[in-house]
């Protein structure tokens, strides 16, 4: 789903380790960029990884699990 | 909370360009635009040749965001740096600011007009309805919205290119560094992008660490 | 239209293109400091033609913000989505791919993390394979075409079949200058197993042995040398098994470019402490990952190998017990090596220091088990049969062969070259290596085929059925050689290029002369290939192009390098008007009068049923595999039923990566129990499918029971020679064998002697009477042997001495065009041979005249050739894929900075590379390529990749291609300029060592 505005609070909550950058003149002038929906807000594909729609934690869990496919040890020493 | 990062292990990268064509395939990026690229340094020099796959690193303190005069960049909740092509004016400041040379400018027209900037999206699409045709046309595939990770990292021939949550990457990488008994210097670009080497890479090389 | 496609016309604004391209690299240089990139320099220079064309035609028509049109974005629109599992068609590693298909359109591709072979990984070719399914602006051959008045014209399939078959029959019936042997069929290692098998049958039913495929020019010397040493001509273990290895010695393989995904296993092994050694004239991408790199002179592999062996013997590092038990002739080899290959002689030949060679020897000796790994670097030499055998001997001396983690990992090239070698169109063997020269082979296969053997015999010209045919490397001489010196009735007058590029064959300049003389050339290929362009460059008529479906547009099995058989599901229907290879075989056979025989229809029985396909009926691939299962006993292609292999494909996750074995599990669809099976049932998988032999992951491995995939060396060469025992010594046998010493192969007599005859069922006895393990269609003899823990093919020693080869002990022989006349003097090549594979073959006369004409002075540099990761084989297919083509836009010559500086050549500029090869007008052949100035090669060597075609000695051949079907990237084919030279045993062409001169380009 398309969201035009996402409040800064969500960003801060999401990227707690990250610096929220606000150095550009446009940003300082209060302009807000169009933003994306969060990936976990989508319905999983019929043939693909599964998580509970809208549940960030379950999405992240499956993403981290899938990520281990990039580590051949996962498959070799299963 | 997951924080998306890339890491290319120079001890593993063989410049097969699998990441490059995986990106082309998944995002249908046009000829001449290279969101990802493999660069070899000291090409052909015995003992010194190293290859590295490079794209937008989705930096912690992204210089592109800092310099953009129209502020078209934003960072997603999971740390991916994206931009709005409807706002982009193609000025090229981001290219000059980027330490990785990631921004690409499809050019067209008789006067060499610069197009909207295009770059790696971490296969996260952009500010259009997720998985819509509009999103695909402007930004490419949204794999994150499908619960998948970037095609380049998922298809890397030697699993040199890692893409996903930074903590998980660091764990994978730490294990490799320990096995190799190296110093972890091969995680090229990580420090520039994220301000610190991967956790555990330094000093993770006890003698006889190989199994 | 898809933006990534490149049109062939128009030029772009150089300035903008140059700015835009190479941006990532430019940006990086500031970070990296020193960036010199082989690809970047070429790409930057070549982008003008590439991106320019695209930009001018496409990008300008779209808003700047768009990156692409959304062929793939249809996924959201609804419609049936299916996932088809297939195997990459670009090399022999066998990477699995999940193709996402919607309403018949291939919309996406996903990695198969479950595959025990590639674990989801892909190289540039595999990661871009979906492009084959994209129809917008495709460079495929779209419909049948005919060359008429110098132009390619569209024709119908019916017209094509009518005209081609009429011409073939006319040639066949020409009593004076024709006959069945006037046709040569160049088959393909890209055909799947079933198609390559059907093609061998097709050619036999036509009545000739004049057929061949890429294996001739890729690993024929390996197959011959290795089979003659220990039994089977194949990679002994798997890529995966390198994970169990302590040393990997790459001699003649650049796996990082040719088999990139194999490096996943290699680098994993390395991280676990395995030593990686690369010896190569070039510092390759693979060498960049090695612990030890040794540069040596191209073509001096025997001195290199025996130099290593010298140190091994000298220090007593050989495995004496192993040699005693399992090797014949090592003592004599040792004597010769100690006397002949002393360090000074080795240094003189190879250019390597004694310390370098010693270091390799010591590393190999201290890190066992280990592999020697090779590909074309060893095989494509005039002396290659000796080189590969020297490699075998080295591994035997170290006791590395026949165990996990050690042996000869011979990397095959094409995706099914192993399968096509095993059961495909070979001039000297029927499927399963049954020799054409032995009448029993024909009796065996006609029984399997359900065809009257007399009928087949009558299809052949008198006396020709038992005579091995010509080879693909020499077909040009079959056309142009004087009729009275060739060993068959007519000269070749018609040729089928059925999935084979001409530019992978040497002596291109001579090839166009042969094309001028042909009555008929038929190219059957998804792409018109360089054959079409070369032919149209010199002819006005006489050629037909038939569009063939790719392997992604059909189903069937393919055998990867490690002998695992994988099943491909059909991803999409054949595109455009193309038809499957097997449909074309059947339809042509209908015209030529042997369609029933092709599918085994006789006496109310039909072996292979016909199924509906796009364009008509075609033989069932599953039935064809079942027929193969019923006949290919020699190499154990009998247990791999379609049902078993398909169950493996559905359950990849059950197979262990290091052993390839399934610990347990059942297939949900069929209930088939996979427990104990090795992935893909690597051949030999003996007996009938019902016997459930698990396949053999590592050949000749005595540590396992034969029913667990164990084995031993083959008894193929008798039981003794000059009083010396050739069978294995007492105590050397597969685990659990009831015969604990060497024994000959099993046949009905041996079974009776052993008292095991009654283990056969009554039905088996009827069939087995008078038969051997290789001809008993019941499989009973194999079953009983295996039941007693014995290997059906006997248990013998490997041969360090192959007495039936010209050099019983491998000898170094200088290439025909050697840079070292002094070495030619010491190590001359063979004498000329009057008839070899039906043709006179020159050795010494060519070598001596080269010395006499001082070719080494006119052409003082060694020219070698090889692969790039982005392209495959002749390259027309991959150079038509824009995602790959963009990465390599120009052919080039790698030249050392000193060599370049001496000639005033600068990086990136065009040069002429000329060789001793001559055009018909007597002028030396020359190639226009870009100079890549790099230390990758030494000052004495130049390298040109071989995947390019479409330029001819400076001229673009675009006008000679059918409209819209020329590859995106064209360039000089190095093989236009390669010189004469063939292996003494197999007719392998020499492409790795010839001579050249490089000069600044002048128009």
């Amino acid at each position: 789903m398309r969201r035009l505005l996402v409040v800064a609070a969500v960003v801060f909550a999401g990227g707690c380790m990250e610096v929220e950058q606000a150095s550009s003149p446009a940003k300082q002038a209060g302009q807000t960029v169009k933003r994306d929906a969060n990936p976990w807000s989508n319905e999983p594909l019929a043939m693909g990884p599964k998580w509970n729609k809208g549940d960030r934690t379950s999405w992240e869990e499956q993403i981290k699990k899938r990520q281990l496919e990039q580590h051949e040890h996962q498959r070799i020493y299963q | 909370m997951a924080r998306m990062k890339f890491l290319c292990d120079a001890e593993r990268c063989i410049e097969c360009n699998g990441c490059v064509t995986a990106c082309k395939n998944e995002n249908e990026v046009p000829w001449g635009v290279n969101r990802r690229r493999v660069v070899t340094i000291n090409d052909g020099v015995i003992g010194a040749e190293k290859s590295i796959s490079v794209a937008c690193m989705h930096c912690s303190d992204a210089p592109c965001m800092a310099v953009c005069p129209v502020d078209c960049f934003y960072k997603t909740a999971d740390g991916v740096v994206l931009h709005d092509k409807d706002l982009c004016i193609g000025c090229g400041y981001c290219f000059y600011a980027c330490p990785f040379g990631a921004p690409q400018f499809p050019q067209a027209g008789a006067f060499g007009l610069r197009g909207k900037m295009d770059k790696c999206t971490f296969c996260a699409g952009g500010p259009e309805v997720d998985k819509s045709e509009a999103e695909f046309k402007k930004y490419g595939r949204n794999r994150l919205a499908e619960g998948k990770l970037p095609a380049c990292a998922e298809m890397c021939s030697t699993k040199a290119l890692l893409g996903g949550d930074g903590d998980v990457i660091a764990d994978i990488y730490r294990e490799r560094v320990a096995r190799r008994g190296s110093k972890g210097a091969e995680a090229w670009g990580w420090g520039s992008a994220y301000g610190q080497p991967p956790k555990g890479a330094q000093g993770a090389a006890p003698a006889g660490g190989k199994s | 239209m898809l933006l990534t496609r490149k049109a062939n016309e128009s030029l772009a604004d150089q300035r903008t293109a140059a700015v835009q391209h190479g941006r990532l690299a430019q940006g990086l240089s500031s970070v990296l400091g020193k960036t010199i990139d082989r690809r970047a320099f070429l790409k930057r220079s070549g982008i003008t033609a590439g991106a320019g064309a695209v930009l001018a035609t496409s990008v300008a028509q779209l808003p700047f913000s768009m990156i692409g049109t959304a062929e793939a974005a249809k996924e959201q629109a609804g419609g049936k989505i299916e996932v088809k599992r297939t195997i990459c068609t670009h090399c022999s590693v066998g990477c699995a791919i999940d193709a996402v298909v919607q309403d018949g359109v291939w919309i996406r591709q996903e990695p198969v993390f479950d595959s025990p072979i590639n674990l989801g990984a892909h190289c540039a070719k595999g990661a871009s394979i979906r492009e084959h399914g994209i129809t917008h602006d495709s460079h495929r051959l779209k419909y049948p075409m005919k060359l008429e008045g110098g132009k390619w014209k569209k024709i119908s399939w019916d017209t094509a079949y009518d005209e081609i078959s009429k011409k073939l029959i006319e040639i066949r019936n020409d009593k004076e200058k024709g006959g069945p042997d006037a046709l040569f069929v160049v088959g393909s290692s890209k055909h799947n197993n079933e198609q390559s098998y059907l093609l061998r049958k097709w050619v036999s039913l036509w009545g000739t042995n004049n057929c061949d495929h890429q294996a001739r020019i890729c690993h024929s010397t390996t197959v011959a040398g290795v089979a003659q040493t220990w039994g089977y001509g194949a990679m002994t273990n798997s890529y995966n098994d390198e994970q169990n290895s302590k040393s990997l010695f790459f001699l003649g393989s650049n796996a990082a470019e040719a088999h990139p995904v194999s490096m996943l296993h290699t680098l994993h092994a390395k991280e676990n402490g395995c030593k990686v050694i690369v010896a190569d004239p070039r510092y390759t991408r693979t060498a960049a990952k090695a612990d030890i790199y040794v540069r040596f002179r191209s073509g001096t592999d025997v001195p290199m190998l025996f130099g290593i062996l010298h140190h091994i013997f000298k220090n007593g590092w050989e495995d004496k017990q192993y040699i005693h038990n399992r090797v014949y002739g090592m003592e004599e080899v040792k004597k010769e090596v100690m006397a002949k290959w002393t360090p000074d002689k080795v240094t003189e030949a190879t250019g390597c220091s004694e310390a370098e060679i010693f270091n390799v020897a010591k590393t190999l000796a201290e890190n066992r088990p280990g592999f020697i790994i090779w590909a074309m670097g060893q095989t494509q030499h005039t002396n290659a049969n000796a080189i590969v055998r020297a490699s075998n001997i080295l591994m035997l001396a170290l006791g590395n062969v026949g165990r996990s983690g050690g042996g000869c990992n011979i990397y095959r090239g094409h995706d099914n070259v192993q399968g096509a070698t095993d059961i495909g169109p070979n001039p000297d063997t029927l499927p399963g290596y049954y020799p054409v020269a032995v009448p029993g082979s024909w009796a065996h296969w006609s029984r399997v085929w359900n065809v009257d053997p007399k009928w087949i015999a009558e299809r052949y010209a008198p006396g020709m059925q038992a005579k091995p045919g010509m080879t693909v490397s020499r077909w040009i001489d079959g056309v142009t050689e004087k009729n009275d010196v060739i060993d068959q009735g007519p000269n070749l007058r018609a040729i089928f290029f059925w999935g084979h590029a001409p530019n992978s064959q040497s002596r291109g300049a001579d090839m166009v002369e042969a094309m001028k003389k042909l009555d008929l050339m038929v190219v059957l290929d998804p792409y018109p290939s360089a054959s079409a362009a070369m032919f149209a460059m010199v002819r006005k008529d006489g050629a037909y192009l038939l569009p063939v479906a790719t392997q992604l547009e059909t189903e069937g099995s393919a055998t990867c390098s490690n002998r695992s058989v994988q099943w491909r599901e059909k991803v999409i229907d054949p595109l455009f008007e193309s038809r499957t290879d097997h449909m074309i075989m059947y339809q042509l056979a209908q015209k030529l009068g042997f369609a029933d025989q092709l599918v085994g229809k006789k006496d109310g029985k039909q072996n292979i049923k016909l199924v509906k396909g796009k364009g008509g009926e075609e033989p069932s691939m599953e039935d064809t595999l079942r027929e193969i299962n019923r006949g290919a006993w020699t190499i154990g292609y009998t247990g791999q039923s379609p049902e078993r292999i398909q169950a493996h494909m559905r359950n990849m996750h059950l197979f262990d990566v290091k052993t390839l074995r399934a610990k347990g599990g059942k297939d949900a669809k069929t209930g088939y129990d996979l427990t104990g099976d090795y992935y893909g049932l690597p051949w030999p998988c003996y007996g009938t499918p019902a016997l459930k032999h698990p396949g053999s992951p590592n050949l000749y491995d005595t540590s396992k029971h034969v029913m667990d995939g164990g084995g031993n060396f083959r008894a193929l060469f008798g039981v003794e020679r000059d009083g010396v025992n050739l069978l294995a010594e007492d105590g050397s046998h597969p685990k659990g064998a009831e015969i604990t010493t060497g024994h000959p192969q099993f046949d009905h007599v041996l079974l009776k002697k052993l008292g095991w005859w009654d283990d056969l069922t009554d039905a088996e006895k009827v069939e087995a009477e008078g038969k051997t393990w290789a001809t008993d269609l019941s499989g009973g003899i194999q079953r009983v042997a295996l039941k007693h823990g014995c290997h059906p093919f006997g248990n013998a020693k490997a041969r360090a001495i192959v007495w039936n080869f010209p050099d019983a002990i491998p000898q170094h022989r200088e290439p025909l065009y050697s840079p070292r006349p002094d070495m030619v003097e010491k190590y001359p090549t063979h004498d000329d041979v009057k008839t070899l594979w039906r043709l006179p073959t020159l050795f010494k006369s060519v070598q001596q005249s080269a010395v006499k004409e001082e070719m080494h002075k006119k052409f003082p540099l060694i020219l070698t050739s090889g692969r790039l990761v982005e392209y495959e084989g002749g390259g027309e297919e991959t150079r038509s894929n824009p995602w790959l083509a963009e990465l390599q836009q120009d052919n080039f010559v790698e030249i050392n900075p000193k060599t370049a500086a001496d000639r005033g050549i600068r990086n990136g500029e065009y040069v002429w590379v000329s060789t001793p090869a001559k055009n018909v007008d007597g002028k030396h052949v020359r190639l226009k390529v870009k100079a890549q100035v790099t230390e990758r090669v030494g000052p004495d060597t130049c390298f040109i990749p071989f995947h390019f075609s479409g330029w001819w000695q400076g001229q673009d051949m675009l006008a000679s291609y059918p409209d819209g079907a020329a590859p995106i990237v064209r360039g000089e084919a190095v093989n236009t300029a390669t010189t004469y030279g063939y292996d003494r045993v197999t007719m392998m062409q020499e492409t790795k060592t010839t001579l050249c001169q490089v000069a600044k380009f002048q128009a």
Side-chain angles (χ1 to χ4, degrees), chain C residues 580-650:
Chain C
T580 63
D581 289 289
H582 47 293
M583 181 184 286
I584 299 169
M585 285 173 211
Y586 183 74
Q587 289 171 338
L588 266 174
Q590 283 179 311
K591 289 280 179 189
L592 296 168
F594 50 83
D596 286 352
Q597 286 82 353
L598 191 68
V599 293
K601 187 176 174 186
K602 187 175 68 119
D603 306 333
K605 201 179 142 213
Q606 182 169 339
N607 281 357
I608 302 169
K609 68 173 175 293
L610 295 170
V611 294
K612 180 123 190 54
K614 193 181 162 193
E617 288 189 312
E618 61 189 22
S620 152
M621 292 287 88
E622 292 191 358
D623 279 357
T624 307
L625 179 53
R626 290 186 190 104
E627 189 182 90
I628 297 166
N629 292 155
R630 284 197 296 275
W633 299 95
T634 42
I635 48 171
Y637 258 76
T638 48
Q640 301 100 333
S641 63
E643 292 76 15
R644 289 183 83 189
I645 304 171
Q646 288 163 5
H648 283 212
M649 299 302 288
R650 286 190 293 267

Side-chain angles (χ1 to χ4, degrees), chain B:
Chain B
M1 291 297 177
R3 171 23 174 137
M4 296 301 162
K5 293 179 181 176
F6 278 125
L7 184 149
C8 181
D9 180 350
E11 286 297 306
R12 286 263 187 123
C13 180
I14 55 172
E15 205 202 341
C16 80
N17 279 318
C19 50
V20 176
T21 64
C23 177
K24 291 261 176 186
N25 184 346
E26 189 68 344
N27 296 302
E28 297 195 359
V29 187
W31 182 290
V33 176
N34 296 281
R35 290 182 171 188
R36 181 166 283 287
R37 181 118 193 217
V38 184
V39 170
T40 296
I41 54 170
N42 301 316
D43 194 77
V45 181
I46 294 174
E49 180 179 303
K50 292 273 181 263
S51 298
I52 308 147
S53 173
V54 191
C56 169
M57 292 289 276
H58 305 275
C59 297
S60 295
D61 191 4
C64 52
M65 290 179 81
V67 301
C68 178
V70 295
D71 196 26
C72 76
F73 289 94
Y74 64 100
K75 192 173 282 186
T76 67
D78 36 352
V80 178
V81 175
L82 297 176
H83 71 296
D84 182 348
K85 287 194 177 181
D86 294 343
L87 288 181
C88 174
I89 53 168
C91 69
Y93 285 14
C94 52
F95 171 74
Y96 294 104
C98 178
F100 304 101
Q104 301 279 297
F105 294 88
Q107 292 184 327
F111 308 104
L113 287 172
R114 206 192 287 269
K116 306 279 188 183
M117 188 274 279
D118 185 76
K119 73 168 189 68
C120 161
T121 66
F122 208 84
C123 284
E128 293 288 347
V129 176
D130 280 358
K131 301 191 283 183
S132 65
E133 194 168 338
E135 181 185 54
F136 182 76
K137 278 184 175 175
K138 278 191 197 171
Y139 303 104
R141 191 77 59 184
N142 195 337
R143 287 175 72 84
L144 290 188
E146 297 172 347
K148 299 170 191 164
L149 287 157
C152 53
E154 295 210 321
M155 289 190 189
C156 174
S157 66
T158 57
K159 303 198 183 278
L161 182 63
L162 305 172
D165 179 55
D167 290 343
V168 181
I169 286 178
D171 287 346
I172 298 172
Y173 184 65
R174 182 169 49 228
E175 187 175 338
R176 277 193 203 165
V177 168
R179 271 174 194 270
R180 289 200 284 251
S182 60
K183 295 221 167 65
E186 55 271 31
W188 183 86
W190 183 284
S192 278
Y194 313 122
Q196 58 191 7
K199 264 195 291 184
Q202 281 179 333
K210 293 178 179 179
S211 56

Side-chain angles (χ1 to χ4, degrees), chain C residues 1 246 248 278 289 295 448 505 518 533 725 884 892 924 976:
Chain C
M1 122 167 212
K246 296 217 173 68
L248 300 170
V278 174
K289 292 285 175 284
R295 177 170 287 179
V448 176
Q505 298 156 41
L518 283 172
N725 180 28
L884 294 169
F892 58 90
H924 285 290
T976 304

Side-chain angles (χ1 to χ4, degrees), chain C residues 273-295:
Chain C
C274 176
K275 297 281 178 235
V276 178
I277 306 166
V278 174
D280 202 294
R282 295 170 70 222
Y283 181 69
T284 60
R285 290 269 184 268
T286 315
K289 292 285 175 284
D291 295 296
I292 300 170
Y293 168 66
V294 181
R295 177 170 287 179

Side-chain angles (χ1 to χ4, degrees), chain C residues 427-446:
Chain C
D428 56 337
T429 55
L430 293 175
Y433 302 98
Y434 292 79
V436 294
V438 176
S441 304
W442 291 100
H444 172 73
W445 277 108
S446 21

Side-chain angles (χ1 to χ4, degrees), chain C residues 696-707:
Chain C
S696 310
N698 305 323
L699 297 174
Y700 327 117
D701 183 354
T702 53
S703 72
K704 293 188 189 126
H705 191 278
V706 283
M707 280 304 286

Side-chain angles (χ1 to χ4, degrees), chain C residues 318-327 330 396-397 797:
Chain C
E318 72 270 27
D319 187 335
K320 296 177 186 75
Q321 186 62 46
Y322 175 94
I323 293 169
H324 170 263
N325 286 346
R326 301 189 65 181
V327 186
M330 191 61 91
L396 287 170
K797 289 192 176 113

